[in-house]
Amino acid sequence: MTLPHIRSLCLVLLLGIAPQVSHAQSVLSVADKIDIVFIALSAILVFFMQAGFALLESGMVRAKNTINVMMKNYVDLCVVMLVFWLFGYGLMWGDNPSGLYGTSKFLLNPDDPGELLFLTYQTMFAATAATIVSGALAERINFGSYILISVLMSAIIYPVFGSWAWAEGGWLKEAGFIDFAGATVVHSTGGWCAFAAAIILGPRLGRFANDGSKRPILGHNLTMVALAGFILWFGWYGFNLGSSGTVDESTPRVLFNTTMAGAAGGVAGVVTMWIGRQHILLTSTVVASIGGLVAVTAGAATMTPAFAAVTGAVGGVVSVVGINALDKMGVDDAVGAVPCHAFAGFWGTLAAGLFLEGNMFDPEIIIIQLAGAMSCMLWAFLGALMIFGLVNKIIALRVTSSTERRGLDFAEHYEIGYPEFQLAAVNPGKQGR
Amino acid sequence: MTLPHIRSLCLVLLLGIAPQVSHAQSVLSVADKIDIVFIALSAILVFFMQAGFALLESGMVRAKNTINVMMKNYVDLCVVMLVFWLFGYGLMWGDNPSGLYGTSKFLLNPDDPGELLFLTYQTMFAATAATIVSGALAERINFGSYILISVLMSAIIYPVFGSWAWAEGGWLKEAGFIDFAGATVVHSTGGWCAFAAAIILGPRLGRFANDGSKRPILGHNLTMVALAGFILWFGWYGFNLGSSGTVDESTPRVLFNTTMAGAAGGVAGVVTMWIGRQHILLTSTVVASIGGLVAVTAGAATMTPAFAAVTGAVGGVVSVVGINALDKMGVDDAVGAVPCHAFAGFWGTLAAGLFLEGNMFDPEIIIIQLAGAMSCMLWAFLGALMIFGLVNKIIALRVTSSTERRGLDFAEHYEIGYPEFQLAAVNPGKQGR
Amino acid sequence: MTLPHIRSLCLVLLLGIAPQVSHAQSVLSVADKIDIVFIALSAILVFFMQAGFALLESGMVRAKNTINVMMKNYVDLCVVMLVFWLFGYGLMWGDNPSGLYGTSKFLLNPDDPGELLFLTYQTMFAATAATIVSGALAERINFGSYILISVLMSAIIYPVFGSWAWAEGGWLKEAGFIDFAGATVVHSTGGWCAFAAAIILGPRLGRFANDGSKRPILGHNLTMVALAGFILWFGWYGFNLGSSGTVDESTPRVLFNTTMAGAAGGVAGVVTMWIGRQHILLTSTVVASIGGLVAVTAGAATMTPAFAAVTGAVGGVVSVVGINALDKMGVDDAVGAVPCHAFAGFWGTLAAGLFLEGNMFDPEIIIIQLAGAMSCMLWAFLGALMIFGLVNKIIALRVTSSTERRGLDFAEHYEIGYPEFQLAAVNPGKQGR
C-alpha cells in the first residue's frame, strides 16, 4: 500500500463521514435561538458536574490514590464522550423498531443544528452516568480495567436502558414512564452499575474488620468534598433545566424545585443523623443533599414545589440510611454513590408518579414508575454483574494487595498528588471519628 | 389518631399548599423566554457564590476548623433557602401596606412562572446575605447557634430591610432610594449583622495580645482564598446582571461596570497597601477586589464605566483601610466581611447617588442614599445586636475555650479536614509575617 | 491650586469621558436580546478560565511559590482589564487605516450596548492571552516585573496582532486568514510570548542538571491541576461559543466540536505517552486535552465534527511531544504553556485551513493560514524577546538566587500558602517519578 493509497483511505474514512454535513440554509427562528442558548448553557453546566464528581471522590479517598481518582475521572470523560458519539448515541436515540435499542445515528455528523445540540447534551448525560460508577470503585481498581468498564457502560448498559425509557418507541416510554431528567435513566443506572462493580471488586483492604464491623477510611481532603457538593448542585441546574429541551412555563418551576429538593435533602440528612444519634458528618450531609437533587430529577417538571421539597427530603433520608445499610452489608462504596444515585433515584422515580400534578397517587402511574425503576435495577445491576464479572475474569479488575497498600498513584501512575506535604499513615479504625 | 387520619392530615398540609398551582395556560412570549433564560442563569451563578464564600472562609481559618466552616456554609444554605421560602419572601415581597414589612406570599407555590422565577432569584440573594455573616464568626461560634442566627437573619433582619428598599410601597423605595443589586440590601445588611455578631462573640483566643496589639491568625490554605475570589467574581455577574429583571440596554453596561469595578478594586487595594508600606497580601487583595464588586452593586446600571471604575477603586481602598481599622478596634473578622460588605457597601450606595448618570452630585439624591445606608446600618447592626445578644443569653453563641483550642472540627463535628496531613501548631504571633 | 480647582479637574477628567454616553433610545430587538444573553454569559465563562489558569500554575509549582502564582494571576487580571480598556482595545479594534494597528476607541465609554458588550468580551480575551505567559515564568520572576510584562503584552503585543487578524482592514483579515476564536490571536500570541520570556529568564535553579538532563520539579498539588483542567474546559465553551458574536446555526456545531476536540486531545495525549513508553502522567493528560481545545479554536465553526476530533487529537499529540521537546531544548515551562498554546495553536490554525468545510486542502487557504501562524510567531516571539529583554536590562526580571531558593512567597509577599502544613523539601531529581 503506497502513501497516496493511505492518504486516499484516510480521506475516505473521514469524508465518508463528512458528506452528511451540508450548509444549513435554514434561517433559525428566534425561538430556536433561545433554545440553542438554553440547551448549550445547560450542557456546559452538566459538563462541569465532572469537576464535582472528581473532587468528591478525590476528597473522600486517601492522598495516596488521588492521582488515580483524577485520572479515572479525566480520562473516562474523554473516552466516554468519544464512545458515546461513535456508538452509544445511536443505540439510545436511533430508530427503535423493537423498543429495545436504537439502530441508527452512529458516528453522527448531523446537518441539523438541533440534532447536533441534542447530541452534545446527551453526550454530557452519558458522561455523567459513567462517572458515577467511579467513586464506588475508588482505591482498588486497575486503571485500564476502569476505562474498559466505562466504555462498556457508556456503549451498552446506559444507552440501552435510555432507549427503553426516553427514545421514541422505547417500551417504557410507550408505557408512559415518567423520568424527566434521568433519576432512573442516568442516576440509577450509574448507581446500580456502581453497586454491581463494588460487589465484584470487594471492599478495600481494612475497610471492614474480620468480625464484619465497619472501619471507616477517612477522606484526605474534606474541603474538596464540600466544594464538590457546591459544584454538583451548580451543575445540576443545567442537568434539570435543559431536560425540557426548550424554554417553557415549566422552566422556572424546574429551577425552584431543584433548589428546594437539594436544600430539603441536606436538612433532612442532618436531621436523620441527629435523630439517629449519629455524628453529623459533613460528608454525609453533602451526600444527602445530592440525594435530594437526584430524587427530584424524575419529577422536577411535574410536581408543585411543596412536593419537590418532600421528594428531596426523603431523598436525603434515603441517602443517609443507605450509607449505613451498605456498611452493614459489607459493601464498600467510598463516596456514597449507591445510596444517593441508585436508592434516591429509585425513590425519586416513584415520587414522580406519587406526586404527579393533576393526577396524584394514581395506582396505574405508580405501577409504571415502579416497573421502570425495577427494570433499571435488573438491567443495570445484572448487566453490570455479568459484563464487569467477565472483564474481571479476563483481565482482573483489582490491583494487587501490595499496589493497594502502597497506593495506586505511585504504583500505577508514577506521580503523586502532594509530593511536598508530609503525610501520616491513617489506618482504618485507628483514627477516632 | 389513627393512621388514615395522619395520612389525611399530611395530605391536607401538602395539598393545602398545592391547590394554588394550576396549569399555566399562558403561552410565553419570546421576550418572556429570553428573560427566563437570563434570570435562571443569573440565579444559578448567584448560587455558585456560596462555594466562593465557603472557600474564602475555609482558606482563611486554621485547618482545625475547616469542617466547621464548611458545615456552616453548606447547612446555612439549605436551611436559609427553606426558611426564606416559608417566611422571609412574604415578609420582603408580600403586600406592604405599612411600608415596613410584607404581609402575604408566605410559603408560595405560585401559578405564574414569572413569580416562581423571581422567588428563586430572591432565594439566592437571601442565602448570600445570610452567609456573609459566617466569616466574621469563624472558629468560635457554636454550630447550632450559628444555624439559629442564620434562620433569624433570613427570616427577619434581611427581609424587613429588603421590604423597605425594594418592595412596592417600602418607605425607602418610595423615597427614591437607589440600590440596583443590593450593595445595601444584601451586602451591607450582611456586613452589619456580621459586625454585631463579631462584637458579641469577641475575638478568637490569642487574636489580640494583652496590650491590644494585633496577632494575626494565618489562614491554612490561601490557594483556596484566591480560588474563592475568582468564584465570587464569577458569580457576581449573575448577582448584578439578573438584578435588572430583564434583558435590556443596561445589561452590557452592568456587565462591563462590574468587570471594571472588580479590577479597579483589586488594583486600588494593592496600591493602598503599597503606599501604606504594608505587606501586599494576597488575602487583602482578594478582599479589596470583592470590595470593588460590592461597591458597584448599587449603581452598576446607572453609572458610566469611568465612574464604575472609580467606585470600585474606592471600594477597594475602603476594604483595605477597613481591615486595619477593625484590627485597631479589636474586632476580629476572620475574612474581612465587615470592611468589604458593610463599609464598601455603604460607600457604593453613596456612589450610586453621587455618580447617577444624568443627575450627578444632586444633594437631594445623595441625602436619600445616605438615609438608606444609615437606616440599614441602624436596623441591621442594632437588630442583630439585640437578636443575637438574646440568643447568646439563652443558648450561648460561643464554644468553650477548650473546644476552641482543640478546634471545632473534632470537638463538635467528629470529622477532621485533612486526617493524613501532618500539621504544625501555628500560634498567633509566633509566625512571622 | 485650590480645592475647588482640583474638584473641577477631577470632574473634567471623568466627565471628559462620560459625555460620550447618552441615553440609548433604541429599543432592542428580540434577536439583540438573545445575543446579549449569549455573549454576556460567554464572557462570564471566559472570565472563569482565569481560575483555571491560576490553579493549573499553582498546582504545578512548589508550595513555597503558591502565593506568588496566585498574586500574579489575580493582579494581572485586574491590571490587564484596566489597561486593555484604556489602550489595548483601541489599538486592536479602532479604525485601522494602515492595516497594522487601530487608532481610535481608547478609553471607550460607548453609547451602544452592542459595542459595550463586545468590549467586555474582548477584555476577557485580552486577559486570557496575558495570563498564558504567567505559567512559563513560574517560580523565578520578580512580581513587579511580571505585572509590567503583562501590561506591555496586553497594551501592545496582543492588540497589534489582533488588529492584523481580526479588525476590519487588518492585513491578515483582508487576506482571508481564518481564526475563529483565537487559536493564533489569543493562544499562540500568549504561547510565543511565554516562550520568549522563558528563554530570557532561563530555567529554574536545579531544573536541569549540569549535563543538561531533565530534573523534574514536582507540582505540589495535582488535585488542583485536574480541577484546573475541568475549569478551563468549562470556560472554553464560552471562549468558542461567543466568538461567533451571535447565536446562529453554527453554535451547536461549535459546542460539539469543542467537546470532541478536548476529548480527542486528552485521549491522544494518553495514547502518545503509552506508545512512547512514557509514564502516563495526569499533568500531561490535562495539558494534552487543553492542547486539543486550543487546536480546535481556530476552526470550530468551519469543520465537521470528525475533523474537529482529528484536529483535537493532533493538538493533544503536539502538546505531549512539545513538552518533551522543550525539555530537550533546556527551556523551562512549568505548566506546558508553550506546547499547548503556541504549538497546538499553530497546528490548529493550519487545521482550520486544511479541513475547511466545502473547500478542504485548498493550497491557497493553507498558505494564508501558514502566513498568519508564522507572522504571529515572528511578531509575538521577537516582539516579546525585545520588549521583555529591555525590561530585563532595566529592572531585572528574575529574583535573586537566595529568594528563589527560599521561595518567592515569604521573600516577596510575606505570606505563605499553607502555614500549618508540614512540608518536606522536594529537590529536583531527588524524588522518584
Side-chain angles (χ1 to χ4, degrees):
Chain A
M1 206 159 144
T2 61
L3 204 68
H5 278 104
I6 294 172
R7 185 171 156 276
S8 303
L9 182 66
C10 291
L11 283 179
V12 167
L13 272 172
L14 289 164
L15 295 177
I17 300 159
Q20 291 177 248
V21 184
S22 69
H23 277 280
Q25 295 297 351
S26 66
V27 176
L28 294 173
S29 74
V30 191
D32 288 343
K33 286 187 177 186
I34 295 171
D35 287 342
I36 288 176
V37 175
F38 182 62
I39 301 299
L41 286 161
S42 294
I44 295 167
L45 285 170
V46 177
F47 170 84
F48 199 50
M49 291 174 72
Q50 295 285 331
F53 284 114
L55 288 177
L56 189 78
E57 183 179 347
S58 162
M60 283 205 191
V61 305
R62 287 162 293 186
K64 66 182 178 184
N65 295 315
T66 186
I67 297 287
N68 177 260
V69 166
M70 283 304 179
M71 278 301 275
K72 284 196 304 172
N73 279 275
Y74 210 90
V75 177
D76 79 10
L77 173 66
C78 295
V79 170
V80 165
M81 282 170 154
L82 295 170
V83 167
F84 192 73
W85 176 39
L86 194 74
F87 188 72
Y89 182 79
L91 201 62
M92 184 157 168
W93 291 104
D95 296 324
N96 194 345
S98 65
L100 296 172
Y101 54 91
T103 57
S104 58
K105 301 195 178 177
F106 300 100
L107 196 49
L108 198 68
N109 277 256
D111 191 19
D112 174 34
E115 177 113 46
L116 202 43
L117 190 65
F118 187 69
L119 168 60
T120 314
Y121 194 65
Q122 290 299 319
T123 302
M124 300 305 177
F125 269 52
T128 305
T131 210
I132 287 169
V133 182
S134 177
L137 313 181
E139 308 200 276
R140 58 204 190 278
I141 193 167
N142 181 289
F143 177 67
S145 304
Y146 172 74
I147 298 300
L148 184 57
I149 277 189
S150 290
V151 168
L152 293 171
M153 206 202 136
S154 57
I156 300 171
I157 298 178
Y158 169 73
V160 166
F161 186 79
S163 82
W164 298 356
W166 278 352
E168 219 54 55
W171 70 270
L172 273 169
K173 183 181 166 86
E174 297 304 312
F177 181 59
I178 303 164
D179 187 7
F180 174 62
T184 291
V185 173
V186 179
H187 293 283
S188 288
T189 301
W192 296 123
C193 287
F195 200 13
I199 290 172
I200 292 175
L201 269 182
R204 288 167 288 178
L205 294 176
R207 177 67 177 78
F208 297 98
N210 289 336
D211 61 358
S213 68
K214 165 187 168 182
R215 300 167 83 189
I217 292 177
L218 305 179
H220 83 285
N221 191 338
L222 300 196
T223 304
M224 289 300 106
V225 171
L227 176 58
F230 288 117
I231 291 176
L232 285 170
W233 194 329
F234 175 63
W236 223 284
Y237 287 112
F239 201 90
N240 282 1
L241 285 179
S243 287
S244 59
T246 183
V247 185
D248 59 23
E249 300 91 69
S250 77
T251 306
R253 173 187 281 196
V254 172
L255 180 72
F256 190 66
N257 282 354
T258 304
T259 304
M260 286 303 120
V267 171
V270 168
V271 171
T272 305
M273 288 183 270
W274 185 64
I275 289 175
R277 302 195 174 193
Q278 290 181 270
H279 297 319
I280 300 172
L281 302 178
L282 171 66
T283 45
S284 300
T285 305
V286 171
V287 171
S289 72
I290 297 173
L293 292 166
V294 168
V296 85
T297 295
T302 51
M303 281 180 193
T304 62
F307 285 106
V310 170
T311 302
V314 176
V317 174
V318 166
S319 300
V320 169
V321 172
I323 291 170
N324 297 334
L326 283 187
D327 271 342
K328 288 212 180 95
M329 293 165 65
V331 173
D332 181 17
D333 171 3
V335 302
V338 178
C340 81
H341 295 284
F343 300 167
F346 196 105
W347 151 248
T349 305
L350 289 189
L354 289 168
F355 305 146
L356 179 64
E357 196 193 0
N359 199 6
M360 280 199 280
F361 307 112
D362 179 329
E364 216 165 297
I365 292 172
I366 295 165
I367 285 168
I368 294 167
Q369 294 301 102
L370 200 61
M374 295 289 294
S375 64
C376 176
M377 185 173 79
L378 291 172
W379 166 256
F381 183 71
L382 296 180
L385 268 187
M386 279 194 295
I387 293 179
F388 301 168
L390 202 68
V391 173
N392 196 22
K393 286 272 180 239
I394 301 168
I395 59 169
L397 290 177
R398 187 154 182 158
V399 297
T400 63
S401 300
S402 84
T403 295
E404 188 176 342
R405 282 209 188 80
R406 200 177 171 196
L408 278 66
D409 286 2
F410 193 81
E412 290 226 306
H413 299 277
Y414 304 95
E415 253 178 338
I416 53 175
Y418 314 97
E420 294 181 49
F421 291 89
Q422 296 199 7
L423 302 180
V426 180
N427 293 316
K430 293 289 166 57
Q431 296 283 318
R433 265 238 222 193
Chain B
M1 209 160 143
T2 61
L3 205 68
H5 278 104
I6 294 171
R7 185 171 157 274
S8 302
L9 182 67
C10 292
L11 284 178
V12 167
L13 273 173
L14 289 164
L15 295 176
I17 300 159
Q20 291 176 251
V21 184
S22 69
H23 276 280
Q25 295 297 349
S26 66
V27 176
L28 295 173
S29 75
V30 191
D32 288 342
K33 286 186 177 187
I34 296 171
D35 286 343
I36 288 176
V37 174
F38 181 62
I39 301 299
L41 286 161
S42 295
I44 295 167
L45 285 170
V46 178
F47 170 85
F48 198 49
M49 291 173 72
Q50 294 286 331
F53 284 113
L55 288 177
L56 188 77
E57 184 179 347
S58 163
M60 283 203 189
V61 303
R62 287 163 292 188
K64 65 182 176 182
N65 296 314
T66 186
I67 297 287
N68 176 260
V69 166
M70 283 303 179
M71 277 301 275
K72 283 197 305 172
N73 279 274
Y74 210 90
V75 177
D76 79 11
L77 173 66
C78 295
V79 169
V80 165
M81 282 171 153
L82 294 171
V83 166
F84 192 74
W85 176 38
L86 194 74
F87 187 73
Y89 183 79
L91 200 64
M92 184 158 169
W93 292 103
D95 296 324
N96 194 345
S98 65
L100 297 172
Y101 54 89
T103 56
S104 59
K105 301 195 177 176
F106 301 99
L107 196 50
L108 199 68
N109 277 257
D111 191 19
D112 173 35
E115 176 112 47
L116 202 44
L117 190 65
F118 187 70
L119 168 60
T120 314
Y121 194 64
Q122 289 300 319
T123 302
M124 300 305 179
F125 269 51
T128 305
T131 211
I132 288 170
V133 182
S134 177
L137 313 182
E139 306 201 277
R140 58 203 189 280
I141 194 167
N142 180 290
F143 177 66
S145 303
Y146 172 74
I147 298 300
L148 184 56
I149 277 189
S150 289
V151 168
L152 294 171
M153 206 202 136
S154 57
I156 300 173
I157 298 177
Y158 169 72
V160 166
F161 187 79
S163 82
W164 299 356
W166 279 351
E168 218 55 54
W171 69 270
L172 275 168
K173 182 180 167 89
E174 297 304 312
F177 181 60
I178 304 164
D179 188 7
F180 174 62
T184 292
V185 173
V186 179
H187 294 285
S188 288
T189 301
W192 296 123
C193 288
F195 201 12
I199 289 172
I200 291 175
L201 268 181
R204 288 169 286 179
L205 294 176
R207 176 68 176 77
F208 296 98
N210 288 337
D211 60 358
S213 68
K214 166 184 167 183
R215 300 166 84 188
I217 292 176
L218 306 178
H220 84 284
N221 191 337
L222 300 197
T223 304
M224 289 301 106
V225 171
L227 176 59
F230 289 117
I231 290 177
L232 285 170
W233 193 330
F234 174 63
W236 222 286
Y237 287 112
F239 200 89
N240 282 1
L241 284 178
S243 287
S244 61
T246 183
V247 185
D248 58 24
E249 300 92 68
S250 76
T251 304
R253 173 188 280 196
V254 172
L255 180 71
F256 190 65
N257 282 356
T258 303
T259 304
M260 286 303 121
V267 171
V270 168
V271 171
T272 305
M273 289 182 270
W274 185 64
I275 289 176
R277 303 194 174 193
Q278 289 181 270
H279 298 318
I280 300 174
L281 302 178
L282 171 66
T283 45
S284 300
T285 305
V286 170
V287 171
S289 73
I290 296 173
L293 293 166
V294 168
V296 85
T297 294
T302 51
M303 283 180 191
T304 62
F307 285 106
V310 170
T311 301
V314 176
V317 174
V318 166
S319 301
V320 169
V321 172
I323 291 171
N324 297 334
L326 283 187
D327 270 343
K328 287 210 180 96
M329 293 166 63
V331 174
D332 180 18
D333 172 3
V335 302
V338 177
C340 81
H341 295 284
F343 301 167
F346 196 105
W347 152 249
T349 305
L350 289 189
L354 289 167
F355 305 146
L356 179 64
E357 197 194 358
N359 198 7
M360 279 200 280
F361 307 113
D362 180 329
E364 217 166 296
I365 291 170
I366 295 166
I367 285 169
I368 293 167
Q369 294 301 101
L370 200 60
M374 295 289 293
S375 63
C376 176
M377 185 173 79
L378 291 173
W379 165 257
F381 183 70
L382 296 181
L385 269 187
M386 278 194 295
I387 294 179
F388 299 170
L390 202 68
V391 172
N392 196 22
K393 286 273 179 235
I394 300 169
I395 58 169
L397 290 178
R398 189 154 180 158
V399 298
T400 63
S401 300
S402 84
T403 294
E404 189 176 341
R405 284 208 186 80
R406 199 178 173 194
L408 277 66
D409 287 3
F410 193 81
E412 290 226 306
H413 299 278
Y414 305 94
E415 253 178 338
I416 52 175
Y418 313 98
E420 293 182 50
F421 291 88
Q422 296 198 7
L423 302 180
V426 179
N427 292 316
K430 294 287 166 58
Q431 297 283 316
R433 266 242 219 187
Chain C
M1 207 159 145
T2 60
L3 204 69
H5 277 105
I6 295 172
R7 187 171 155 273
S8 302
L9 181 67
C10 291
L11 283 179
V12 167
L13 273 173
L14 288 165
L15 294 177
I17 301 158
Q20 290 176 250
V21 183
S22 68
H23 277 280
Q25 294 299 350
S26 66
V27 176
L28 295 173
S29 75
V30 190
D32 288 342
K33 286 186 177 188
I34 296 170
D35 287 343
I36 288 176
V37 174
F38 182 62
I39 301 299
L41 285 160
S42 295
I44 295 167
L45 285 170
V46 178
F47 170 85
F48 199 51
M49 292 174 71
Q50 294 286 331
F53 284 114
L55 288 177
L56 189 77
E57 183 179 349
S58 163
M60 283 205 189
V61 304
R62 287 162 292 188
K64 65 182 177 183
N65 295 314
T66 186
I67 297 287
N68 178 260
V69 166
M70 283 302 177
M71 277 302 275
K72 284 197 303 171
N73 279 274
Y74 210 90
V75 177
D76 79 10
L77 173 66
C78 295
V79 170
V80 165
M81 282 172 156
L82 294 170
V83 166
F84 192 74
W85 177 39
L86 194 75
F87 188 74
Y89 182 80
L91 200 63
M92 184 157 170
W93 292 105
D95 296 326
N96 194 345
S98 65
L100 296 172
Y101 53 91
T103 56
S104 58
K105 301 195 179 177
F106 301 100
L107 195 50
L108 198 68
N109 277 257
D111 191 20
D112 173 35
E115 177 113 47
L116 201 44
L117 190 65
F118 187 69
L119 168 60
T120 314
Y121 194 64
Q122 289 299 319
T123 302
M124 301 303 178
F125 269 51
T128 305
T131 211
I132 287 169
V133 182
S134 178
L137 313 181
E139 306 201 278
R140 58 203 189 280
I141 194 167
N142 181 288
F143 177 67
S145 303
Y146 172 74
I147 298 300
L148 184 57
I149 277 189
S150 289
V151 168
L152 294 170
M153 204 201 140
S154 56
I156 300 172
I157 298 178
Y158 169 73
V160 166
F161 186 79
S163 81
W164 298 357
W166 278 352
E168 218 55 55
W171 70 270
L172 274 167
K173 183 180 167 86
E174 297 304 312
F177 180 58
I178 303 164
D179 187 8
F180 173 63
T184 292
V185 173
V186 178
H187 294 284
S188 288
T189 301
W192 295 123
C193 287
F195 200 13
I199 290 171
I200 292 175
L201 268 182
R204 287 168 287 179
L205 294 176
R207 176 68 177 77
F208 297 99
N210 289 336
D211 61 357
S213 68
K214 164 186 167 181
R215 300 165 84 189
I217 292 176
L218 306 178
H220 83 286
N221 190 339
L222 300 196
T223 304
M224 288 301 106
V225 171
L227 177 57
F230 289 117
I231 290 177
L232 285 169
W233 194 327
F234 174 64
W236 223 285
Y237 287 112
F239 201 91
N240 282 1
L241 284 178
S243 287
S244 60
T246 183
V247 185
D248 59 22
E249 300 90 71
S250 76
T251 305
R253 174 188 281 197
V254 172
L255 180 73
F256 190 66
N257 282 356
T258 304
T259 304
M260 286 302 121
V267 171
V270 168
V271 171
T272 305
M273 289 183 270
W274 184 64
I275 289 175
R277 301 194 177 195
Q278 289 180 272
H279 296 140
I280 300 173
L281 302 178
L282 171 66
T283 46
S284 300
T285 305
V286 171
V287 172
S289 72
I290 297 173
L293 292 167
V294 168
V296 86
T297 294
T302 51
M303 284 179 190
T304 62
F307 285 106
V310 171
T311 301
V314 176
V317 174
V318 165
S319 301
V320 169
V321 172
I323 291 170
N324 297 334
L326 283 186
D327 271 342
K328 288 212 179 93
M329 294 165 66
V331 173
D332 180 17
D333 172 3
V335 301
V338 178
C340 81
H341 295 284
F343 300 167
F346 196 106
W347 152 247
T349 305
L350 290 189
L354 289 168
F355 305 146
L356 179 65
E357 197 195 359
N359 199 8
M360 279 198 281
F361 307 111
D362 179 330
E364 216 165 297
I365 291 171
I366 294 166
I367 285 169
I368 293 167
Q369 293 302 100
L370 200 59
M374 295 289 293
S375 63
C376 176
M377 186 173 79
L378 291 172
W379 164 256
F381 183 71
L382 296 181
L385 268 186
M386 278 195 294
I387 292 180
F388 301 168
L390 202 68
V391 173
N392 196 22
K393 285 272 179 238
I394 300 169
I395 58 168
L397 290 177
R398 187 154 181 157
V399 297
T400 63
S401 300
S402 83
T403 294
E404 188 175 342
R405 282 207 187 81
R406 198 178 173 195
L408 278 66
D409 286 2
F410 193 80
E412 290 226 308
H413 299 277
Y414 305 95
E415 255 179 337
I416 52 175
Y418 314 97
E420 294 180 50
F421 291 89
Q422 297 199 6
L423 302 180
V426 179
N427 292 316
K430 294 288 166 57
Q431 297 283 319
R433 266 241 223 191

